Amino acid sequence: QDIAVTQTPNEYVIDTGPLRVAFRHSFPAWQQPHDSTIITRCSLMTASGWQDIVRGEGPVLYMTDQYGNYYNSLFSRSAPTVVIEEQGSLRVCVLIKGFLASAQGVRFCPYQLRIHLYAGKSDLRVFHTFVFDQEPHSIELASIGLSLPLTLGDNLRAAVGNEANAAHWCTNWEELAFLQKDDR
């Protein structure tokens, strides 16, 4: 089965077969403060039918500095840009571009988030790229993360690493964290 993309005035709805995700691409400029929620619906086909699995706002990109200052993608005063970067019968790539900001609206690092969806799969492949546009002698990053609040049910499995050589596996988890201590 091919992947299906439907565009409405406000959303891209992508159906892979076992997964349906609605990505919001329209953010009214007159609405202040704007709502930066990007994934408005996410449903997974289960044995008992379609189950909505997204809860809250997401995805939320965040960073903290060495002083404990917190920046995220929802605090930005400018709406993100959401486009279909690549579309084929087997794969779709959604590109989300924006800025992180503090709760007071101080702009931090620009980011690009690419979410790949595949025909016949319920998997998402996520690539997070950011530009550290701060003064490196004054600001150090203490954390970089992505929060995607989902209700996935029981018997959860996750892996961190690459496909051939997962560095860590876990089951029945509530929160998955991966710490990388250097740029390698």
Side-chain angles (χ1 to χ4, degrees), residues 75-145:
F75 291 154
S76 179
R77 302 246 196 274
S78 58
T81 302
V82 180
V83 297
I84 301 281
E85 184 177 46
E86 296 178 34
Q87 180 178 346
S89 60
L90 298 178
R91 182 177 65 88
V92 170
C93 176
V94 177
L95 172 62
I96 303 158
K97 295 168 94 174
F99 290 89
L100 301 180
S102 69
Q104 297 77 24
V106 176
R107 186 181 262 191
F108 203 57
C109 300
Y111 69 85
Q112 293 183 1
L113 187 68
R114 285 180 171 84
I115 301 176
H116 297 262
L117 299 98
Y118 299 90
K121 302 282 186 180
S122 59
D123 305 357
L124 298 177
R125 181 170 279 186
V126 179
F127 294 89
H128 175 209
T129 305
F130 68 92
V131 176
F132 185 69
D133 63 352
Q134 305 299 305
E135 175 54 52
H137 301 292
S138 302
I139 302 291
E140 295 177 20
L141 295 177
S143 70
I144 303 168

